[in-house]
Amino acid sequence: MSVLSGKKILLGVTAGIAAYKSAILVRALIKKGAEVKVVMTPSSKEFVTPLTLSTLSKNEVHSSFTQEEDENGQWNNHVELGLWGDLMIIAPATANTLSKMANGTCDNLLLGVYLSSKCPVYVAPSMDLDMYQHPSTSTSLKKLKSFGNTIIKPSHGELASGLIGVGRMAEPDDIVAFIENDILGALPLYGKRFLITAGPTFEAIDPVRFIGNHSSGKMGFALAYAAADLGAEVCLITGPVHLQADRDSITTIPVTSAEEMYEAVHEHFGPCDVAILSAAVADYRPKNVAENKIKKKEGNLSIELVKTKDILQSLGAVKSTKYLVGFALETENEIENAKTKLKKKNLDLIVLNSLNDKGAGFRSDTNKVTLIDKDNKMLSFDVKPKKEVAMDIVQYIIKDLHA
Ligand code: CTP
């Protein structure tokens, strides 16, 4: 899922030949999961039809302060439209519109919407090379930058005039990528890599049976989403769960057993900055895995169990400056046990789940946690949806990383 998913985007189209690319831009934005409303300058309708843009955006397209086709002359509320957008893109932006934006002219709906908007504004200029190089255009762009608008530079190439130079509007896919990177770059975890474990592990007894636990993976997945939504690249190593991560910046690595999780974690630990081990890893596994299904016999059956490797502890031994977070699921002496684990496994933070708390633990959609850091500072939260708990934990990590 892109950072543009769910975003409300105002697309302003002005009268440049690149207006035909606005249709492709609308489609690209819709594909990313954004909602798009198009506002056109009157002359831009000579380059691309409102019907094309309204069909692709699945929204009405407006180009004047009143609805021309409406006998009652109903007003297109530019203020409401301006405030609707989470972000605004003006592509193509002609020299004429750039100049009007820079000078506060408001002689069409698009300019009214621009002046009313409070959201980030991206501008993709499009014009002939000499117009682009003219001091008047440079002055407009300089002014727009000083207003906090972001300019998506035009590229070099053949222009509608037949001349070759800088002035071609950036390609729609490049505009989308630019905006995605710009949004990501402003997020607090941009450039950070997280490794997160989730779910249970299954330890085979024979080809059809295993030792497992009730972990659903919901907490680990919620942590992965929280980190990704705040800009991190996430490597999510998960035991068998019925969940699928839907963020572009999450790479999922499915594993089954504790041994496989150990191998995967160590393979991916190197480049990561923060590791959160929330998986419910089996502490023991059958010493021998029967090659064939174990048949029922008279009397009882004993299975010898051997210890699995403690993944978290093994990371604590080699973590150096990486930030390491573990979970502790306790039923008695909760705080003491959690503090002991924090020290023993050389963690920066431990997330304590008490099974004595209502609304905490496996399978449920809520959790109640207490965070304990390496200075023994404690912070307890109320019962909350796991999504919010995950955000609390990730926000705490961000604060600690900057402390
Ligand atoms: N953990 C791990 N590898 C294991 C067992 C646990 O990485 N083989 C991690 C879990 O992902 C969790 C933390 O260790 O982050 C604590 O798990 P928990 O089961 O509460 O503690 P244990 O150390 O296994 O101790 P005990 O079960 O005795 O409480």
Side-chain angles (χ1 to χ4, degrees):
M1 194 166 80
S2 156
V3 282
L4 293 176
S5 175
K7 287 258 188 303
K8 294 183 191 134
I9 300 180
L10 286 162
L11 175 63
V13 179
T14 74
I17 181 62
Y20 79 92
K21 291 185 184 170
S22 305
I24 303 162
L25 180 55
V26 172
R27 228 172 62 121
L29 294 169
I30 296 282
K31 261 182 143 173
K32 294 284 180 182
E35 190 181 347
V36 181
K37 286 191 181 176
V38 179
V39 183
M40 304 177 78
T41 60
S43 319
S44 71
K45 292 194 283 184
E46 291 175 30
F47 292 90
V48 60
T49 70
L51 180 64
T52 304
L53 298 178
S54 66
T55 306
L56 290 171
S57 66
K58 301 183 186 80
N59 268 317
E60 272 180 68
V61 170
H62 296 298
S63 58
S64 83
F65 284 101
T66 54
Q67 293 185 5
E68 302 90 333
E69 62 283 1
D70 186 340
E71 285 171 5
N72 304 320
Q74 205 187 327
W75 183 44
N76 283 327
N77 191 333
H78 58 282
V79 179
E80 219 168 69
L81 259 176
L83 297 180
W84 173 84
D86 295 319
L87 61 100
M88 183 170 191
I89 308 168
I90 300 178
T94 57
N96 184 39
T97 294
L98 292 176
S99 163
K100 288 180 180 179
M101 288 166 68
N103 291 292
T105 306
C106 186
D107 63 0
N108 63 41
L109 180 71
L110 172 50
L111 292 161
V113 172
Y114 166 69
L115 288 173
S116 304
S117 68
K118 289 184 176 167
C119 59
V121 178
Y122 294 89
V123 181
S126 165
M127 64 199 74
D128 210 55
L129 76 163
D130 294 317
M131 293 170 78
Y132 185 64
Q133 273 168 9
H134 197 280
S136 158
T137 305
S138 311
T139 306
S140 299
L141 290 172
K142 221 169 156 183
K143 260 189 162 181
L144 292 177
K145 276 192 222 165
S146 76
F147 299 161
N149 298 166
T150 305
I151 313 300
I152 304 174
K153 285 194 182 142
S155 59
H156 182 276
E158 192 174 340
L159 301 160
S161 62
L163 297 173
I164 293 174
V166 176
R168 283 166 66 106
M169 185 180 86
E171 292 303 320
D173 283 347
D174 294 337
I175 293 178
V176 171
F178 179 98
I179 296 171
E180 282 182 318
N181 287 335
D182 196 55
I183 294 173
L184 276 171
L187 293 173
L189 289 176
Y190 182 70
K192 294 270 183 247
R193 287 167 190 262
F194 274 53
L195 183 154
I196 296 174
T197 66
T201 62
F202 288 177
E203 309 304 324
I205 296 170
D206 68 15
V208 293
R209 302 181 180 95
F210 59 83
I211 298 172
N213 61 65
H214 291 302
S215 170
S216 62
K218 285 178 186 165
M219 195 61 236
F221 274 65
L223 283 162
Y225 289 155
D229 289 348
L230 293 176
E233 282 286 326
V234 180
C235 172
L236 176 61
I237 298 172
T238 174
V241 292
H242 299 287
L243 301 171
Q244 229 170 353
D246 65 350
R247 299 284 193 282
D248 291 350
S249 50
I250 300 178
T251 306
T252 307
I253 297 171
V255 296
T256 304
S257 64
E259 185 60 28
E260 281 174 24
M261 189 173 276
Y262 177 92
E263 294 297 332
V265 164
H266 278 275
E267 191 184 330
H268 294 92
F269 188 55
C272 87
D273 303 291
V274 176
I276 310 177
L277 271 58
S278 70
V281 186
D283 288 329
Y284 294 92
R285 64 173 171 80
K287 184 174 180 191
N288 300 307
V289 181
E291 216 170 289
N292 296 308
K293 187 181 166 209
I294 299 172
K295 300 300 275 181
K296 190 163 49 189
K297 290 191 192 115
E298 287 299 316
N300 295 332
L301 171 73
S302 297
I303 298 173
E304 190 180 350
L305 300 177
V306 291
K307 262 199 179 151
T308 57
K309 291 174 189 152
D310 191 314
I311 306 169
L312 185 58
Q313 191 161 356
S314 69
L315 293 187
V318 296
K319 81 179 195 73
S320 71
T321 57
K322 295 181 199 295
Y323 194 94
L324 187 57
V325 184
F327 271 64
L329 180 64
E330 305 293 341
T331 53
E332 56 184 348
N333 300 327
E334 292 96 331
I335 308 251
E336 274 327 297
N337 286 343
K339 282 184 179 171
T340 306
K341 279 180 193 168
L342 177 92
K343 263 217 178 84
K344 189 171 144 206
K345 303 193 184 189
N346 190 26
L347 310 180
D348 295 281
L349 185 71
I350 194 151
V351 182
L352 167 62
N353 277 199
S354 166
L355 274 191
N356 295 324
D357 286 325
K358 273 212 173 95
F362 285 165
R363 281 188 179 159
S364 108
D365 286 322
T366 58
N367 204 355
K368 177 167 173 24
V369 301
T370 299
L371 305 185
I372 307 172
D373 73 10
K374 56 182 178 305
D375 303 321
N376 277 334
K377 258 195 284 157
M378 278 201 312
L379 189 58
S380 289
F381 294 90
D382 293 333
V383 177
K384 291 180 178 191
K386 282 185 172 164
K387 200 174 149 190
E388 288 175 29
V389 174
M391 206 32 108
D392 287 338
I393 295 169
V394 173
Q395 293 286 9
Y396 190 93
I397 295 170
I398 292 173
K399 232 175 56 197
D400 222 13
L401 287 175
H402 291 111

